[in-house]
Amino acid sequence: MKFLLTAVNAKYIHSNPAIYSLRAYSVQKDPELEKNIELAEYTINQPFQDILADIYGRKPDCIAFSCYIWNWEMIRDIVRELAKILPDVPVWLGGPEVSYNAEEILEKLPFLTGIMVGEGEETFRELLCYYRNGSTRENAGLEKIAGIVFRRHAGICRTGERRLTDISELPFFYNEEDIGDFHNRIIYYESSRGCPYRCSYCLSSIDKTVRLRSRELVEKELQFFLDKKVPQVKFVDRTFNCDHKHAMGIWKYIKEHDNGITNFHFEISADILKEEELAILQSLRPGLVQLEIGVQSTNPRTIEEIRRSMDWERLRQIVAALREKENIHIHLDLIAGLPYEDMESFRNSFNEVYACRPEQLQLGFLKVLKGSYMHEKASEYEIHYTDKTPYEVLFTKWLPYDQVLKLKKVEEMVELYYNSGQFVHTLPVLEKAFSDPFCLYERLAEYYEEKGYFINNPARGYRYQVLLDFAVSAEPEKEELYRQLLTLDMYLRENMKSRPAFALTLLENQEIKEKINDFYRREEKNPTCLTQYVQDGCTSRQMARMTHIECFTLPVWEKEPLEHNNETAIYYLLFDYRKRNPLNQEAYTILLPLT
């Protein structure tokens, strides 16, 4: 008997920890069950027919799907067709997208056998044993399994609620074979379940009982990742630092056992960080940790209404302290469409969060999730949202639809120009031409609309030229400055094979060319800047190809480049692409004394 546990992920780099945990728990309880379980992972971007054919080719005797807002539409389509090509195979669902209205889903989808509700490890094990033992006639016996809703000839039945799991009793999700399959993918890890907060838009608020995995187990499992040198481990804990002792123990462990490669991602509440926690975070290797911090809004009325606990001023101070050491990638979140937040309020929230200068600023839109308190209050707030997943806000009594559409365009500009990390020197200068940062992205979105770029989106490389054209339209007198800022930003990211059209033509000057060639010849004989290249046997010509020297007439790498404007000066900046900033991947630069 083969039970196929199936996941449809949002992207290839993602994995689904749920199906790995279900398998691991069953095998721990009974090693013989391993031969009855097979895992299958796909993505929502794969051709539908290919997924269907692959499932059919695996010849399962029973199938279960892990359901979330990002894959529900596709899974529903898949199981509809499976009922035609595998009519005798029971199909089960589980996950947050189907746990809160299971009866309704079974009514609408008559080809489904049943739904596992809530935490599924023990439920799946019992279900697996049920099918392995062959007790499937008329689904007799399923009523003995807690935590399921299933179809019987007499109707739809719901069994008793499953108790919450002691997560220290759960086995480690992964094995040696899994880690090999996860090359260049994100590995998800869980050190706690539940959340102490009651944010009305979040399903984690339903389970306010925080359960911690024993630190002995966590350290052993993290060491497995460290030994395997996996690129990134993303903790799925909803508020990682809700328990001070737990967080400190894990942060101390990864500091003491840092392998110089693995990155750990945590979702935290920054305003509750204690001084001891802040100190250890500030002491970590650059790139060892990245933090995701949900701000959502800085409007006090909104924060109170969504039942969120947050001290914005404290949060802002903590983020500033974390950024001082330039060692942690910080990701801040905002949500548009929350109660009592109109366009003016959202603009203010955006500007306040933007002033924190995080590496990533995610501008998201409210999702009205089934089972959440926000779902119950939607009528009162006059929140209208899509019937289809991801149940995203269309408009509210505070934010009309046309303004939601405007924010969608602003979001895209923030993604392309701020979150891409490609324009870190250009944007701070350009912001000064507008009343506030939000106005910059609002106007940039209008420019995209005028030029038709939302339909014909510029390629990544051409976005530099688009931003130059936009900047010059705002400040034509600073064209030369923007040309050089964008040249700096472009070469910081990559060693371009062909020069951008807007770059200075100084490198065509024969005298300047010779100075640069002389530099590389001197480095080959007596290295001062490129020692590692010489030790690796690189010639001057090879070093010139592997690095880049750009000429500037303005010190655009400084915070105030115009203050040092010297029309006769030529600055030679070396870009070393072997050395990169671990936070933003910018090339290491050296100002060369080539006069």
Side-chain angles (χ1 to χ4, degrees):
M1 196 280 294
K2 180 194 291 187
F3 203 126
L4 186 66
L5 288 173
T6 310
V8 182
N9 302 320
K11 297 179 181 178
Y12 171 75
I13 62 170
H14 297 169
S15 58
N16 183 298
I19 62 173
Y20 290 89
S21 185
L22 296 183
R23 179 188 66 179
Y25 184 82
S26 293
V27 172
Q28 179 194 56
K29 293 292 185 180
D30 182 356
E32 286 296 311
L33 291 174
E34 184 168 18
K35 63 186 179 184
N36 300 121
I37 304 170
E38 186 172 315
L39 306 187
E41 288 193 85
Y42 310 99
T43 80
I44 58 174
N45 300 311
Q46 284 182 256
F48 173 83
Q49 290 286 357
D50 290 358
I51 296 175
L52 202 63
D54 187 74
I55 293 174
Y56 180 81
R58 292 171 183 264
K59 302 189 184 310
D61 298 294
C62 193
I63 308 172
F65 289 87
S66 183
C67 303
Y68 304 85
I69 56 173
W70 63 80
N71 65 18
W72 174 232
E73 299 291 335
M74 178 174 260
I75 287 176
R76 193 168 57 186
D77 291 341
I78 289 171
V79 297
R80 183 179 288 110
E81 305 309 324
L82 284 175
K84 301 173 185 176
I85 60 176
L86 295 172
D88 299 322
V89 174
V91 177
W92 286 81
L93 306 179
E97 180 54 29
V98 296
S99 286
Y100 301 99
N101 60 336
E103 286 88 352
E104 178 185 342
I105 291 171
L106 285 170
E107 289 283 0
K108 290 181 178 179
L109 306 178
F111 37 81
L112 288 178
T113 307
I115 293 173
M116 291 176 270
V117 176
E119 295 184 2
E121 283 87 0
E122 180 61 27
T123 303
F124 172 71
R125 187 192 70 80
E126 293 180 12
L127 199 62
L128 175 62
C129 292
Y130 170 84
Y131 283 106
R132 185 186 65 170
N133 295 337
S135 304
T136 60
R137 184 175 179 82
E138 298 289 341
N139 291 336
L142 281 176
E143 66 278 358
K144 299 176 183 178
I145 301 175
I148 63 173
V149 179
F150 67 99
R151 193 182 310 282
R152 289 289 296 270
H153 56 81
I156 293 173
C157 302
R158 176 182 283 264
T159 64
E161 189 172 336
R162 175 73 64 181
R163 69 175 178 86
L164 294 177
T165 309
D166 177 350
I167 69 167
S168 291
E169 294 179 359
L170 299 178
F172 186 43
F173 291 175
Y174 307 109
N175 56 41
E176 297 274 351
E177 183 180 338
D178 296 331
I179 296 301
D181 291 340
F182 286 162
H183 182 64
N184 292 327
R185 297 175 72 190
I186 298 172
I187 290 182
Y188 293 93
Y189 181 75
E190 179 180 53
S191 76
S192 67
R193 282 185 183 175
C195 182
Y197 302 112
R198 302 180 301 123
C199 303
S200 63
Y201 52 82
C202 182
L203 291 178
S204 296
S205 63
I206 296 171
D207 172 17
K208 292 180 280 292
T209 306
V210 178
R211 291 156 287 150
L212 305 174
R213 192 163 176 80
S214 79
R215 208 161 82 230
E216 180 182 3
L217 284 174
V218 172
E219 290 176 358
K220 178 182 177 182
E221 291 158 3
L222 294 184
Q223 193 58 51
F224 176 81
F225 297 136
L226 291 163
D227 291 342
K228 299 300 178 184
K229 294 182 170 58
V230 300
Q232 185 178 60
V233 177
K234 188 167 185 176
F235 279 65
V236 296
D237 305 40
R238 299 311 304 162
T239 306
F240 174 76
N241 62 321
C242 64
D243 184 282
H244 170 72
K245 185 177 179 181
H246 180 77
M248 278 298 296
I250 291 174
W251 283 335
K252 284 180 179 178
Y253 188 86
I254 64 174
K255 177 183 178 179
E256 293 167 1
H257 297 81
D258 181 15
N259 61 13
I261 296 171
T262 303
N263 164 269
F264 294 90
H265 177 108
F266 302 95
E267 186 173 338
I268 69 164
S269 286
D271 54 313
I272 66 170
L273 278 180
K274 298 183 178 181
E275 292 303 317
E276 184 184 16
E277 293 169 310
L278 180 59
I280 193 169
L281 288 170
Q282 290 175 320
S283 71
L284 300 176
R285 164 182 65 84
L288 175 59
V289 160
Q290 61 187 54
L291 300 177
E292 182 173 351
I293 301 166
V295 180
Q296 322 313 8
S297 172
T298 64
N299 182 332
R301 179 72 189 276
T302 297
I303 293 299
E304 179 183 5
E305 190 66 25
I306 64 176
R307 309 194 303 182
R308 184 167 176 76
S309 174
M310 184 188 74
D311 181 341
W312 163 243
E313 185 57 30
R314 170 68 176 163
L315 188 154
R316 186 190 63 77
Q317 293 171 359
I318 290 291
V319 171
L322 288 170
R323 292 198 73 251
E324 280 180 8
K325 301 298 181 180
E326 298 183 346
N327 67 322
I328 293 178
H329 181 284
I330 297 175
H331 179 145
L332 301 183
D333 296 337
L334 282 173
I335 297 178
L338 293 173
Y340 296 98
E341 187 132 76
D342 57 16
M343 181 62 94
E344 192 56 35
S345 171
F346 188 83
R347 176 189 295 269
N348 185 64
S349 291
F350 180 94
N351 288 330
E352 290 194 284
V353 172
Y354 191 91
C356 294
R357 296 288 174 183
E359 278 68 34
Q360 294 273 307
L361 197 173
Q362 180 174 325
L363 198 172
F365 292 81
L366 177 65
K367 313 292 190 296
V368 183
L369 304 177
K370 301 168 190 172
S372 70
Y373 184 67
M374 186 67 72
H375 187 266
E376 296 177 23
K377 299 279 283 184
S379 295
E380 179 182 332
Y381 296 145
E382 297 179 26
I383 293 177
H384 298 261
Y385 55 93
T386 59
D387 288 336
K388 295 182 65 174
T389 56
Y391 315 117
E392 190 171 274
V393 64
L394 292 168
F395 61 93
T396 74
K397 68 161 72 173
W398 301 277
L399 197 67
Y401 183 55
D402 62 340
Q403 292 183 354
V404 171
L405 292 177
K406 175 181 282 191
L407 288 177
K408 285 281 186 180
K409 293 181 171 65
V410 170
E411 175 203 22
E412 187 167 345
M413 295 301 96
V414 172
E415 282 296 313
L416 293 179
Y417 287 97
Y418 185 87
N419 289 341
S420 67
Q422 294 176 247
F423 308 94
V424 294
H425 292 84
T426 306
L427 287 175
V429 175
L430 184 55
E431 287 162 22
K432 297 173 184 177
F434 299 89
S435 58
D436 57 52
F438 185 87
C439 182
L440 161 62
Y441 294 98
E442 187 178 38
R443 292 281 296 278
L444 185 55
E446 291 169 1
Y447 184 80
Y448 257 60
E449 189 78 48
E450 292 167 8
K451 299 292 183 180
Y453 291 146
F454 282 116
I455 297 172
N456 299 304
N457 209 321
R460 185 172 64 89
Y462 190 66
R463 289 173 198 150
Y464 291 86
Q465 182 65 53
V466 172
L467 191 60
L468 174 62
D469 295 341
F470 172 73
V472 171
S473 72
E475 294 189 296
E477 72 281 5
K478 294 183 180 179
E479 179 174 353
E480 193 58 44
L481 171 62
Y482 286 121
R483 286 182 181 276
Q484 295 191 49
L485 285 166
L486 285 163
T487 300
L488 171 65
D489 279 334
M490 180 171 273
Y491 279 108
L492 281 169
R493 302 296 294 177
E494 58 184 303
N495 191 359
M496 303 296 295
K497 300 300 181 185
S498 56
R499 285 180 64 69
F502 52 79
L504 295 180
T505 59
L506 289 171
L507 291 182
E508 298 173 11
N509 181 288
Q510 194 58 41
E511 183 180 346
I512 290 175
K513 279 184 179 179
E514 193 54 38
K515 283 185 180 181
I516 293 173
N517 289 335
D518 283 345
F519 165 78
Y520 283 113
R521 286 192 285 265
R522 289 196 303 272
E523 284 294 303
E524 183 178 1
K525 294 177 182 178
N526 184 25
T528 59
C529 301
L530 301 173
T531 305
Q532 189 59 53
Y533 289 83
V534 176
Q535 290 176 353
D536 291 344
C538 295
T539 65
S540 60
R541 184 170 294 182
Q542 288 171 324
M543 285 188 284
R545 286 199 302 267
M546 297 167 72
T547 63
H548 177 72
I549 294 176
E550 185 60 42
C551 294
F552 298 93
T553 60
L554 294 168
V556 287
W557 51 90
E558 296 184 2
K559 289 186 177 180
E560 297 294 338
L562 283 177
E563 291 185 5
H564 308 280
N565 192 358
N566 183 342
E567 293 182 1
T568 63
I570 297 179
Y571 302 94
Y572 297 83
L573 198 64
L574 171 70
F575 297 79
D576 185 349
Y577 298 99
R578 278 190 173 184
K579 296 180 183 178
R580 289 185 180 269
N581 184 314
L583 294 189
N584 57 26
Q585 296 303 304
E586 286 184 358
Y588 178 70
T589 58
I590 304 172
L591 186 62
L592 301 176
L594 305 182
T595 56

